[in-house]
Amino acid sequence: MIDIQILRNDIGIAKDKLLSRGFDLDVATFQSLENVRKELQVKTQDLQEKRNSISKEIGISKSKNENTDLLMKSVNVISEDLKAGESELAELQKKINQFMLDIPNIPHESTPIGKSESDNKVLKTVGEPRKFTFKVKDHVDVGAQHGLNFDLGVKLSGARFVVIEGKLAKLHRAITQYMLDTQTDKHGYKECYTPYLVNSDSLIGTGQLPKFEADLFSLSHNESKLYLIPTSEVTLTNFVRDEVLKLSDLPIKLTAHTPCFRSEAGSYGKDTRGMIRQHQFDKVEMVQIVHPDKSYDALDEMVSHAEFILTSLELPYRLLSLCSGDIGFGAAKTFDLEVWLPSQNTYREISSVSNCEAFQARRLKARFKSEDGKNLFVHTLNGSGLAVGRTLVAIIENYQNEDGSITIPKALVSYMGGIEKI
């Protein structure tokens, strides 16, 4: 949630910045709500002052043994009016809060201005794509002979699901383990195991609800509703919901391996072949909770942590700064890492690392006590370290051999029990 003071102090600038990311702020509605709020606050403040004044009169009259019936009747009437006004104000605050929940984050000044992914800025390209001496196959065709079974996935669950068997399943597990070990042992994240089902408060906190409910899988549980997590960013970031942290607690660095569930409601018809866009996939997530002054240093650090996985697996990739029209709902600044896929002759996203600044923290009420004793909002960051399925795809395609076998990247051989080729 953006700071409401930004809208109150200069809504014109806020509107322009939000337009740069394709969001048209409803200025008229906000100003209408604000005008009513001001009127109600003035009304309730006046009533409170009148009640306090009459209460003092009652106290003075009683000390003089004077009759206070009329004063008591008057203060009771004011109290009823005040109660009604406070109730009306509370309802209005709910409407304002709902209005604010639908507004995306304001892009950081360094975020490139643009409308779509075509306006993203390539910052660097690392590694040379392999020159093949044979016709390259995609991961679907190479993987079919090693246990990548899309037909069985459809049989069990439907489209956009896959079953992975045999040594390819072992490779999928090895990738996951390697990523977890790297993020914990080398980069200092605390490994966590979190629920795969969360309540609506958790998803409101990180920004998936209420705006993106159509992209989530949900189920009824007793009289409540639970949602399958779209990423463990949700659970890890919610660790600090409704908390006031000590300054010494920061930074907090968390990682988790979880399946991620996304209905891909907004991606109908995209990447229908293969594992690029699945309803269920695995990811090793990185989350940092940091002091506001340190969040952009943390963002650069997290990008380097994701890059380390790609360079150690010797996979060609490029780094992009996403434009204002392509960053996620809660992000102020986002870097994407895209891995080279030879079958598509292009780079595809494998990690997205974002600084949400205080956007999620306001929704979460996640704060820390500063040196001068003030409760300030933390900054939250999240990123893939990496998407496991897409890393498997990249390895299958970049390490494929003419006979259909797949060479195991050196960094993963020990995790494969010494197997160098499948």
Side-chain angles (χ1 to χ4, degrees):
M1 183 184 296
I2 65 172
D3 186 351
I4 197 170
Q5 296 303 328
I6 294 173
L7 301 188
R8 288 172 177 166
N9 295 334
D10 202 330
I11 198 166
I13 290 177
K15 182 177 176 67
D16 289 343
K17 289 182 176 180
L18 290 167
L19 273 175
S20 76
R21 57 171 302 156
F23 182 84
D24 190 4
L25 179 67
D26 189 345
V27 174
T29 295
F30 178 76
Q31 291 180 333
S32 175
L33 290 168
E34 273 291 284
N35 288 337
V36 176
R37 178 191 65 81
K38 290 175 184 177
E39 290 175 6
L40 284 173
Q41 283 191 332
V42 169
K43 177 183 174 182
T44 55
Q45 286 169 1
D46 286 345
L47 288 170
Q48 285 171 342
E49 289 174 3
K50 287 180 181 178
R51 186 179 65 177
N52 292 341
S53 177
I54 295 173
S55 295
K56 286 181 181 178
E57 286 186 47
I58 292 171
I60 293 170
S61 296
K62 283 185 175 180
S63 69
K64 297 178 180 180
N65 293 319
E66 295 174 350
N67 188 293
T68 60
D69 289 351
L70 289 176
L71 290 173
M72 290 295 292
K73 187 178 293 186
S74 179
V75 83
N76 288 338
V77 170
I78 292 173
S79 293
E80 287 299 316
D81 290 344
L82 182 58
K83 185 177 179 181
E86 289 173 341
S87 178
E88 192 176 353
L89 185 59
E91 285 301 311
L92 182 67
Q93 291 287 10
K94 287 181 182 179
K95 290 181 181 178
I96 293 173
N97 189 62
Q98 190 62 43
F99 179 86
M100 296 296 294
L101 285 176
D102 287 333
I103 302 174
N105 204 354
I106 291 176
H108 186 260
E109 59 186 14
S110 67
T111 294
I113 303 300
K115 294 182 178 180
S116 67
E117 61 183 26
S118 60
D119 298 314
N120 293 338
K121 184 178 179 181
V122 178
L123 301 179
K124 66 178 179 179
T125 301
V126 178
E128 284 290 328
R130 176 184 168 190
K131 291 180 173 61
F132 290 87
T133 58
F134 56 90
K135 186 179 179 180
V136 171
K137 295 180 180 179
D138 71 4
H139 67 282
V140 178
D141 292 334
V142 176
Q145 60 186 302
H146 299 294
L148 200 60
N149 195 329
F150 291 96
D151 290 338
L152 188 51
V154 170
K155 177 181 177 180
L156 297 177
S157 304
R160 297 189 186 273
F161 289 94
V162 67
V163 170
I164 308 174
E165 304 172 274
K167 290 182 179 178
L168 212 55
K170 185 180 182 71
L171 178 57
H172 186 272
R173 175 162 54 89
I175 293 167
T176 304
Q177 192 62 54
Y178 173 65
M179 289 177 183
L180 279 175
D181 285 350
T182 299
Q183 302 305 358
T184 55
D185 298 343
K186 288 185 179 296
H187 299 149
Y189 292 82
K190 179 195 290 185
E191 184 176 350
C192 304
Y193 173 82
T194 75
Y196 302 160
L197 290 163
V198 293
N199 54 35
S200 60
D201 286 345
S202 296
L203 289 156
I204 290 170
T206 44
Q208 285 79 13
L209 287 179
K211 196 171 182 66
F212 303 104
E213 183 157 10
D215 295 331
L216 301 169
F217 287 106
S218 63
L219 54 89
S220 297
H221 177 66
N222 296 329
E223 295 181 359
S224 63
K225 188 175 185 180
L226 292 175
Y227 296 83
L228 288 162
I229 58 170
T231 163
S232 58
E233 167 203 341
V234 174
T235 46
L236 294 174
T237 309
N238 269 274
F239 280 14
V240 295
R241 189 174 83 218
D242 297 322
E243 297 289 337
V244 178
L245 304 168
K246 298 176 184 176
L247 184 60
S248 59
D249 292 334
L250 303 176
I252 296 171
K253 299 169 66 173
L254 307 171
T255 188
H257 159 239
T258 66
C260 305
F261 305 91
R262 301 182 187 180
S263 74
E264 300 290 355
S267 307
Y268 182 77
K270 289 185 179 180
D271 297 309
T272 54
R273 177 177 169 85
M275 288 181 64
I276 294 297
R277 200 178 294 274
Q278 296 273 283
H279 289 315
Q280 175 186 315
F281 61 95
D282 283 39
K283 187 149 65 86
V284 172
E285 185 75 2
M286 304 177 291
V287 162
Q288 290 203 29
I289 315 294
V290 304
H291 190 287
D293 294 343
K294 305 291 181 60
S295 64
Y296 280 91
D297 290 337
L299 180 62
D300 291 338
E301 179 186 66
M302 290 175 71
V303 169
S304 73
H305 295 163
E307 283 188 278
F308 182 89
I309 302 293
L310 289 167
T311 54
S312 63
L313 294 176
E314 300 179 80
L315 292 169
Y317 69 93
R318 65 181 186 179
L319 175 67
L320 290 81
S321 179
L322 297 197
C323 73
S324 56
D326 199 33
I327 58 176
F329 180 77
K333 176 80 172 181
T334 298
F335 293 107
D336 265 14
L337 291 166
E338 295 183 338
V339 69
W340 176 256
L341 294 186
S343 71
Q344 298 183 19
N345 196 39
T346 192
Y347 293 90
R348 298 300 302 268
E349 179 196 338
I350 196 166
S351 176
S352 192
V353 186
S354 298
N355 186 355
C356 297
E357 297 184 352
F359 184 85
Q360 291 178 327
R362 285 192 186 88
R363 300 166 79 108
L364 295 162
K365 297 181 177 61
R367 295 159 294 171
F368 72 100
K369 193 168 289 294
S370 65
E371 288 181 343
D372 57 3
K374 294 180 180 178
N375 289 344
L376 304 177
F377 289 112
V378 296
H379 278 194
T380 64
L381 303 96
N382 63 80
S384 310
L386 306 166
V388 179
R390 291 194 179 191
T391 305
L392 178 66
V393 167
I395 290 172
I396 291 173
E397 294 203 3
N398 284 280
Y399 282 87
Q400 64 179 288
N401 300 307
E402 190 171 8
D403 62 0
S405 64
I406 304 164
T407 300
I408 304 300
K410 293 176 184 177
L412 297 179
V413 170
S414 62
Y415 288 87
M416 290 290 289
I419 296 173
E420 296 182 350
K421 185 184 290 187
I422 58 176

